Amino acid sequence: MEIKTGRQVIDIEIKALNLLKNYISKDFVKVVNLLLKNKGKIIVSGIGKSGHIASKIASTFSSVGSPSFYIHPSEANHGDLGMLEKKDVVILISNSGETSELINLILYCKKLGIPIISITSELNSTLSRESNLNLLIPKNIEACPLELAPTSSTTCTLALGDALAVTLLKKKKFTESDFRELHPGGKLGQMLSEVKDVMKINLDIPLIVESKKMSYAILEMTSKGEGCVGVVSKKNQLIGIITDGDIRRNMNPELLDKNVKEVMTRKPKTLSPNTLISKALKIMNEESITNIFITKQKKPIGIIHMHDILKNN
């Protein structure tokens, strides 16, 4: 019974989301354009379960470059209305469209001329009539068999908020670098850092000049503990790399007396110092390599090892 009920709930919510997908139309485009032109903040409000969803939507907007915050309707009635400005846009969430706690917010927005966007399932509700733009969610399709606990309606509202945020992100051409600026902490922030922030530099870079023999290359590789050594020209430009694999492939009694140019892999993969760590990790996985040199004008300025990236994250 438990498995059956769980699956039924998910099926109902999937059905609601499929219905919601058909509601994405010209009104959605108008809302996105309004938010795009907005010079102020995006204020999102609702109460109860809608309030929790409103808070998450506001957080998502802010995280993708559109300053936003959640305001509790009751707190708004006791002074927080002062947080709203004429240049802002307000999104009000109410499944029924008749949430009494939103009345003063509506009146205040009308007074200042602040545009109101509604998210509701009732097009003929008070909230819809008083709003400048309306976004509808499917009605009478809650997963709760008693039709009391908000379930599918909050799922749809959350998805609609995500749809707005992501569409706005694309319209603003918000980049990974922009995202990193807003998320400097945690694993995500670290993965969106640049390789110059974590690379080993100066004497920690395993390097040897092209005229040296393999005996010196192996000593350099061992002392720096990177499992590789870069080969540089007389102009200090990176022209090759010698890895553990290169040594194994060339293993013979004469190896130590060979010139490094005879063993090295030419034109090694390199990265610019501004490459994102996430991109560097992707390249290392795709190329099946564990080290990459960081170069500037073909000169090695650093090196990163996959283990260092994973350890820092």
Side-chain angles (χ1 to χ4, degrees):
M1 188 273 284
E2 292 87 349
I3 293 176
K4 181 179 179 182
T5 301
R7 288 175 175 173
Q8 285 176 341
V9 169
I10 293 173
D11 283 339
I12 292 170
E13 301 218 4
I14 290 173
K15 178 182 178 183
L17 287 171
N18 280 324
L19 289 172
L20 175 67
K21 188 165 60 174
N22 295 326
Y23 290 6
I24 304 297
S25 59
K26 292 181 179 179
D27 289 333
F28 182 86
V29 176
K30 291 178 181 178
V31 169
V32 170
N33 287 332
L34 175 61
L35 296 177
L36 184 65
K37 296 175 183 177
N38 177 39
K39 301 299 181 182
K41 303 174 295 297
I42 302 172
I43 291 87
V44 193
S45 187
I47 201 163
K49 304 298 186 297
S50 293
H52 294 303
I53 299 300
S55 179
K56 191 274 177 187
I57 291 174
S59 178
T60 301
F61 276 131
S62 292
S63 72
V64 295
S66 297
S68 178
F69 65 84
Y70 166 72
I71 184 170
H72 193 287
S74 296
E75 297 298 329
N77 293 336
H78 293 278
D80 281 1
L81 284 174
M83 299 167 72
L84 277 67
E85 300 177 283
K86 290 183 179 181
K87 58 183 179 179
D88 297 333
V89 173
V90 170
I91 299 177
L92 300 181
I93 301 172
S94 170
N95 188 25
S96 67
E98 300 295 343
T99 303
S100 60
E101 289 86 352
L102 296 178
I103 290 176
N104 286 334
L105 264 170
I106 294 172
L107 292 174
Y108 191 75
C109 289
K110 292 287 187 181
K111 178 182 177 181
L112 294 185
I114 298 173
I116 299 173
I117 298 166
S118 72
I119 298 179
T120 179
S121 66
E122 296 291 345
L123 186 59
N124 295 319
S125 63
T126 300
L127 177 58
S128 291
R129 290 194 298 270
E130 298 298 329
S131 298
N132 299 85
L133 292 170
N134 300 296
L135 292 175
L136 287 177
I137 59 172
K139 65 179 180 178
N140 302 326
I141 195 174
E142 298 289 8
C144 171
L146 302 177
E147 292 288 331
L148 296 175
T151 48
S152 302
S153 59
T154 49
T155 299
C156 286
T157 304
L158 184 61
L160 187 55
D162 288 341
L164 287 171
V166 172
T167 306
L168 200 56
L169 174 154
K170 290 185 176 181
K171 293 278 284 187
K172 286 187 171 184
K173 297 182 180 179
F174 193 79
T175 66
E176 286 183 336
S177 296
D178 297 324
F179 197 92
R180 180 171 61 87
E181 291 294 323
L182 299 177
H183 300 76
K187 180 176 180 180
L188 183 57
Q190 291 170 5
M191 288 299 287
L192 291 174
S193 297
E194 296 172 349
V195 293
K196 66 182 180 183
D197 300 322
V198 298
M199 69 185 185
K200 294 178 180 177
I201 60 174
N202 300 329
L203 295 178
D204 290 326
I205 309 173
L207 294 172
I208 194 163
V209 294
E210 60 181 328
S211 59
K212 290 290 185 178
K213 292 183 178 181
M214 280 300 300
S215 56
Y216 291 97
I218 292 175
L219 286 174
E220 176 73 1
M221 184 187 302
T222 304
S223 65
K224 300 298 171 64
E226 291 296 316
C228 72
V229 60
V231 180
V232 293
S233 66
K234 293 178 181 179
K235 295 181 179 180
N236 196 35
Q237 293 182 334
L238 187 70
I239 60 173
I241 185 173
I242 299 172
T243 65
D244 291 331
D246 291 319
I247 292 175
R248 287 193 298 271
R249 285 187 290 272
N250 289 274
M251 186 62 70
N252 59 58
E254 292 79 34
L255 175 64
L256 297 181
D257 292 322
K258 283 187 175 182
N259 180 273
V260 292
K261 293 173 70 175
E262 298 179 66
V263 178
M264 72 181 188
T265 298
R266 297 178 180 275
K267 297 181 180 179
K269 192 76 178 178
T270 62
L271 298 174
S272 71
N274 299 115
T275 305
L276 294 178
I277 288 178
S278 57
K279 184 176 180 180
L281 190 58
K282 180 181 178 183
I283 291 172
M284 294 167 98
N285 283 321
E286 290 176 347
E287 301 287 336
S288 297
I289 54 179
T290 55
N291 299 84
I292 296 187
F293 280 95
I294 315 304
T295 59
K296 192 172 184 179
Q297 296 179 339
K298 297 184 180 181
K299 295 181 179 180
I301 62 171
I303 187 173
I304 57 171
H305 192 289
M306 181 178 287
H307 292 164
D308 295 329
I309 296 176
L310 298 177
K311 179 176 64 178
N312 290 329
N313 289 281

